[in-house]
Amino acid sequence: MKKQTFKFSTASTDCYFDAAFKQLKEIVSQQHAIIITDQNIFDKHTSKFKGWNTIVLNAGEEFKVQATVDSVIQQLIELNADRKTTLIGVGGGVITDITGYVAAIYMRGISFGFVPTTLLAMVDASIGGKNGIDVGVYKNMVGIIRQPNFLLYDVSLLKTLPDAEWSNGFAEIIKHACIKDAAMFKILEQNNLQKIQRNKKLLSQLIERNAKLKIKVVQNDEFEKGERRLLNYGHTLGHALENQYELFHGQAVSIGMTYASVISQQLLKFKQTDAVVKVLEQYGLPTYASFDKNKVMTVLKMDKKRERKDINYILLEKIGKGIVLPIPLTDLENIISNL
Ligand code: GLY
């Protein structure tokens, strides 16, 4: 199994691309590890968990809350987890968030790693160390930045992934292409969801390319003072829509990217909005949508990307070149109400 190690400010992450779930045993001892997963994954892959201590959580974003964290901590105590225990999150973004967050606070911090089981978790959620929980409509309001010790990629886990989850993952892949990788944008334009689902080689290459793109951005700016902010492209408006309208994360981000392109057109003379919209559609994602502007502004005012009276909005100069533009809240209110 090939290992690639990536260094961050206080930790490093071993990545095993092209691995298989059963190789997890070669990374951590079963005796000293506890897997955290959700009921859907456990039911689909029950035999894979044989021999592992496993905590099974209810599936769904509505469970990414403090009550679940409390219950996991209680179960860790019952399983005699100690400072030498490694937690392994096997799942999508909710599981990686809860696992990374609990690992950061249990006994003031224990080791953790992830086996992402969704495309979104493979290219985004499992990478970067930001792990936390939602508080009411406020997404990821409470959390930490702490890097996982390892990431194991088993692309065969995607075989059972529903179509909506594929689109969810592609929203982040398209985001990466828009802000940093014009060549990848071309590849996405030349393909579509169904073509890539059928092309295992291209899929594996895309997953590794996106994981590495995100790792590099995080390595350059782990604590989000500069370049890492670009990863929020589509997320400012997206997060404000996601819990209010019960959208999938990818759908919300896709609508967010559409309007961020429109705002880029207004403020930066960006000329490729139609190309962005077309690619989003090719991957089954929504673009223009109607929403309650006042409600959205209320949530935006609480956004973590707000600094005093400005919101750091991520816009595009051109495809492959994202920039951070501080927009005063009052200006943003006007821009949003005229969308
Ligand atoms: N866990 C996702 C991130 O750090 O961006």
Side-chain angles (χ1 to χ4, degrees):
M1 187 171 39
K2 196 174 146 213
K3 173 167 93 178
Q4 298 182 54
T5 302
F6 299 92
K7 289 206 180 340
F8 297 91
S9 63
T10 58
S12 61
T13 302
D14 295 333
C15 288
Y16 303 88
F17 297 109
D18 286 323
F21 188 95
K22 60 176 189 289
Q23 292 173 299
L24 197 53
K25 282 207 277 275
E26 298 168 30
I27 307 173
V28 270
S29 94
Q30 283 188 315
Q31 214 189 336
H32 295 114
I34 296 175
I35 287 182
I36 299 179
T37 191
D38 72 31
Q39 195 68 54
N40 289 344
I41 296 158
F42 189 76
D43 290 347
K44 272 182 203 151
H45 305 282
T46 309
S47 60
K48 288 194 166 66
F49 294 96
K50 215 165 150 237
W52 293 94
N53 293 305
T54 307
I55 295 175
V56 183
L57 305 178
N58 288 324
E61 178 83 25
E62 66 270 35
F63 296 105
K64 205 178 93 174
V65 291
Q66 186 61 40
T68 309
V69 170
D70 294 345
S71 141
V72 171
I73 291 172
Q74 198 55 46
Q75 293 180 70
L76 290 177
I77 295 169
E78 280 156 23
L79 288 165
N80 293 321
D82 61 21
R83 291 214 168 91
K84 294 251 157 22
T85 301
T86 299
L87 296 189
I88 308 168
V90 178
V94 174
I95 289 296
T96 56
D97 260 303
I98 288 177
T99 305
Y101 184 48
V102 171
I105 55 178
Y106 188 74
M107 295 193 170
R108 298 203 186 89
I110 60 175
S111 315
F112 70 110
F114 296 139
V115 181
T117 59
T118 63
L119 183 59
L120 180 122
M122 288 184 186
V123 298
D124 185 16
S126 67
I127 302 159
K130 281 192 199 171
N131 295 122
I133 52 171
D134 302 338
V135 180
V137 293
Y138 304 114
K139 293 246 329 148
N140 305 324
M141 193 49 135
V142 172
I144 36 85
I145 299 183
R146 187 167 175 265
Q147 302 304 328
N149 300 73
F150 68 85
L151 299 174
L152 183 145
Y153 284 78
D154 179 347
V155 179
S156 76
L157 292 168
L158 298 177
K159 268 192 228 144
T160 52
L161 200 68
D163 269 355
E165 280 289 350
W166 280 92
S167 297
N168 236 357
F170 270 103
E172 303 295 348
I173 291 177
I174 294 167
K175 175 192 82 178
H176 287 155
C178 284
I179 57 167
K180 280 256 160 214
D181 192 343
M184 181 161 73
F185 193 89
K186 283 221 161 67
I187 298 174
L188 295 171
E189 274 182 317
Q190 286 155 4
N191 286 279
N192 61 34
L193 185 55
Q194 291 70 28
K195 276 194 202 163
I196 297 186
Q197 279 172 327
R198 285 195 298 265
N199 186 340
K200 283 206 187 77
K201 189 155 171 245
L202 179 58
L203 176 65
S204 294
Q205 283 169 350
L206 267 182
I207 291 171
E208 189 167 336
R209 183 173 183 147
N210 279 274
K212 286 181 172 165
L213 184 152
K214 176 155 182 190
I215 288 170
K216 196 156 168 232
V217 171
V218 176
Q219 281 177 318
N220 289 341
D221 176 27
E222 194 171 348
F223 297 99
E224 201 166 317
K225 302 273 180 274
E227 185 185 356
R228 185 169 183 171
R229 290 177 174 159
L230 295 179
L231 296 172
N232 292 321
Y233 175 57
H235 283 61
T236 308
L237 183 62
H239 276 166
L241 295 173
E242 185 172 347
N243 284 2
Q244 268 188 69
Y245 291 95
E246 291 183 13
L247 295 164
F248 273 113
H249 180 69
Q251 293 175 319
V253 168
S254 179
I255 297 168
M257 289 194 280
T258 304
Y259 288 109
S261 302
V262 173
I263 299 173
S264 305
Q265 203 171 304
Q266 289 171 12
L267 303 183
L268 304 174
K269 303 199 169 28
F270 174 68
K271 293 183 185 66
Q272 296 159 295
T273 301
D274 290 347
V276 173
V277 167
K278 188 155 178 277
V279 161
L280 292 170
E281 284 169 351
Q282 275 167 233
Y283 293 84
L285 288 159
T287 55
Y288 298 100
S290 58
F291 54 88
D292 182 330
K293 312 263 165 77
N294 290 332
K295 264 196 182 162
V296 158
M297 267 321 291
T298 313
V299 181
L300 276 185
K301 284 179 189 156
M302 284 301 292
D303 195 282
K304 294 188 294 308
K305 290 166 284 296
R306 178 171 61 90
E307 282 176 17
R308 306 258 163 115
K309 293 197 164 13
D310 289 347
I311 285 201
N312 288 315
Y313 223 92
I314 314 308
L315 300 176
L316 301 180
E317 267 178 14
K318 57 181 182 190
I319 284 169
K321 185 152 185 9
I323 63 150
V324 184
L325 189 74
I327 305 184
L329 264 177
T330 43
D331 293 4
L332 191 62
E333 212 153 358
N334 279 334
I335 294 170
I336 299 240
S337 64
N338 290 319
L339 280 176

